[in-house]
Amino acid sequence: MKVIPRAARVYLGCALLGAGACALPALRPGTATPWGTVALLAALYALCELPARCRLLGRGLGGSVPMGTGSFFPVLLAAALLLPPAAAALTALPGSLLARVDEQPAAPRRAWRAAAAALAVWAAAQVARVLSCGNALGHGPDTPDFPYALLPALAAALAFCLVLTALDGGIRATADGLPLRTAWRGLLGRALAPYALHGLAGLMMAVLWRSSYGPVAALFVLLPMYISCWVFAQYHRERAAHQATIRALVQAVDIKDRYTRGHSERVGHASVLIARELGMAEDRLDVVRFAGILHDVGKLGVPTRVLRKDGPLTPAERRIIELHPEYGHEMVRGIGFLGEARAAILHHHERIDGRGYPYGLRGEEIPEFARVVAVADSFDAMTSTRSYSRARPVPTAVAELERCAGSQFDPRMVAALVRALERHGWQPAVTAEETAGPGGDVPPPREPGAAPARPKERA
């Protein structure tokens, strides 16, 4: 179970206190809280989130039940448009506390989701009240004031989005030890469009709720939302299948070449550390992880006798080994979701000075992901215990990378790895069946016209 840092516990406590302060006015005696509407919207939101926790229903639908808090935010935004701020905050609590949690510890995560949702709904309701949303929605036979009604709905959705992304960035910074700028980077940009759509759906629900048809008509808005969530869940199942395919390829490489067992996963992890320090967008982090994990998949095309040879390689065998980036690129060429990872697989043995392989690219000609993986690959090779070489200490490996920065490696990537190691540390794996020399997976420099140097590892 992951231990929650003290800063994250304090942050969570402040969020809970803030949510309580926002919702408390609705519970005071004499407050004209519309408890019927509050109960209906809170129950509706909770019912929308419950199927993800029902294993029987999940199996009946092939595991495609929409999962996770956030799938049904239109219900909360409708509450923000229909209710006073304190009452609107209450509607978020049951569903957030009942929502499915996949990672431990579950209780603090549920408490965090409930607090964040309550604060966001309260802020959205405050904005809607300032913009006189209640009057714009009409009531009963009164016609809603379109297009003015769009203004408070979109403004409320924007407030909801801003509060949630700000809170999420804060919890990432305190729980994961990230700088605030890194923790918040990209969150708002990715959330704006979805929350704008949620706001429009919430407006539709609120208008129908206020109409002469009543709350029952508003429920029909949830049907297309549930279908869209189901499609989204299908996408995640497809993504899980992609990841299973990648794991199978990596396992095949590990089985064929016992010297690199576990190496691919560690290179993937180190590549993500570097990419995150460089400020890459979240959607690119998965791709760079795939690049690190699959960088040696081309070894499946190299004869096993060459991979497992204990003695020195002949020039012909060395040339065979150096074909593995091209083999790997051919293997993954048709896997569209890998994107930039395919170029990294092909070029991760290129060098900044142009003396790498397979094409002798230099400097910025080498794809960015390939430069990331080259550093991660060599670092793991140097810090792993192998059958004929003991692991180097992390500071020694870092010093070697810095020495070769500008010739073998991109200095930006080396500096990013150094910063990541200072922040997160590194636990070198000790695997008896792995083998690598001090230079790792990157060949030493060769003189112009000379034969390519032998890779110092069998991976």
Side-chain angles (χ1 to χ4, degrees):
M1 179 182 295
K2 182 179 179 180
V3 177
I4 302 177
R6 181 179 180 182
R9 294 198 299 269
V10 172
Y11 189 80
L12 172 59
C14 291
L16 289 171
L17 289 174
C22 290
L24 184 61
L27 303 176
R28 290 175 180 168
T31 303
T33 301
W35 287 110
T37 303
V38 171
L40 282 173
L41 287 170
L44 183 59
Y45 182 59
L47 286 173
C48 289
E49 295 290 354
L50 272 179
R53 295 190 67 184
C54 179
R55 296 181 180 179
L56 181 60
L57 182 57
R59 287 194 295 268
L61 294 178
S64 301
V65 176
M67 295 171 60
T69 300
S71 301
F72 302 100
F73 279 161
V75 179
L76 299 183
L77 288 167
L81 302 180
L82 290 168
L83 296 169
L90 289 175
T91 62
L93 300 180
S96 300
L97 292 172
L98 291 173
R100 175 169 175 168
V101 175
D102 292 320
E103 299 181 28
Q104 296 297 324
R109 290 178 183 274
R110 289 198 177 96
W112 164 251
R113 290 180 178 181
L119 289 168
V121 176
W122 181 85
Q126 288 284 10
V127 171
R129 185 176 66 171
V130 169
L131 296 176
S132 303
C133 182
N135 296 332
L137 292 177
H139 197 285
D142 297 337
T143 304
D145 187 7
F146 285 113
Y148 176 75
L150 292 172
L151 175 61
L154 292 177
L158 177 60
F160 189 89
C161 176
L162 288 172
V163 172
L164 269 189
T165 53
L167 291 171
D168 285 345
I171 198 65
R172 291 180 65 201
T174 55
D176 299 332
L178 299 175
L180 285 176
R181 185 175 178 181
T182 302
W184 277 319
R185 182 181 289 118
L187 287 180
L188 183 60
R190 290 192 302 273
L192 277 176
Y195 283 115
L197 293 175
H198 289 167
L200 293 176
L203 174 62
M204 292 171 60
M205 283 194 66
V207 168
L208 290 172
W209 196 285
R210 283 283 191 90
S211 73
S212 56
Y213 299 103
V216 175
L219 298 181
F220 287 102
V221 177
L222 287 181
L223 181 60
M225 291 298 300
Y226 197 91
I227 292 174
S228 66
C229 291
W230 179 83
V231 172
F232 191 65
Q234 291 288 84
Y235 160 77
H236 277 284
R237 291 186 67 201
E238 182 179 354
R239 179 183 175 85
H242 291 163
Q243 293 177 335
T245 300
I246 289 173
R247 284 195 298 271
L249 288 172
V250 172
Q251 288 172 357
V253 175
D254 287 347
I255 291 171
K256 182 168 185 176
D257 186 1
R258 65 179 181 270
Y259 297 115
T260 60
R261 192 160 298 160
H263 170 66
S264 297
E265 292 287 348
R266 296 193 300 274
V267 172
H269 175 63
S271 297
V272 170
L273 292 180
I274 295 171
R276 186 172 282 123
E277 286 296 324
L278 294 173
M280 290 188 185
E282 289 292 328
D283 56 344
R284 298 185 74 201
L285 294 183
D286 277 344
V287 181
V288 78
R289 183 173 67 86
F290 292 154
I293 290 173
L294 292 176
H295 74 286
D296 273 343
V297 69
K299 297 294 177 61
L300 293 173
V302 176
T304 304
R305 63 175 179 80
V306 176
L307 289 177
R308 298 189 177 184
K309 184 176 180 180
D310 291 328
L313 296 177
T314 66
E317 290 169 336
R318 187 181 304 118
R319 285 193 292 271
I320 292 173
I321 285 281
E322 291 179 353
L323 288 173
H324 81 270
E326 295 175 274
Y327 290 157
H329 184 257
E330 287 299 316
M331 290 176 185
V332 303
R333 174 179 288 180
I335 305 179
F337 72 89
L338 288 179
E340 296 176 82
R342 291 172 292 187
I345 292 168
L346 178 61
H347 296 295
H348 70 278
H349 278 294
E350 305 286 2
R351 292 169 48 108
I352 295 297
D353 59 13
R355 294 193 287 177
Y357 63 89
Y359 299 133
L361 302 183
R362 67 173 60 242
E364 295 294 324
E365 295 176 347
I366 306 171
E368 184 178 31
F369 278 14
R371 286 176 272 144
V372 170
V373 173
V375 172
D377 186 15
S378 184
F379 174 74
D380 180 70
M382 286 190 285
T383 56
S384 299
T385 294
R386 311 298 176 106
S387 61
Y388 63 76
S389 176
R390 294 185 61 82
R392 292 188 181 189
V394 168
T396 304
V398 166
E400 180 67 13
L401 290 174
E402 291 176 330
R403 185 184 69 82
C404 297
S407 56
Q408 285 181 278
F409 310 116
D410 186 330
R412 286 179 58 239
M413 310 307 172
V414 174
L417 178 62
V418 172
R419 293 195 302 271
L421 294 175
E422 290 174 351
R423 180 173 293 114
H424 302 288
W426 183 262
Q427 296 297 327
V430 179
T431 307
E433 292 183 336
E434 291 179 337
T435 178
D441 197 17
V442 181
R446 67 173 187 265
E447 297 300 323
R454 171 186 171 182
K456 291 190 177 183
E457 51 90 40
R458 306 290 168 81

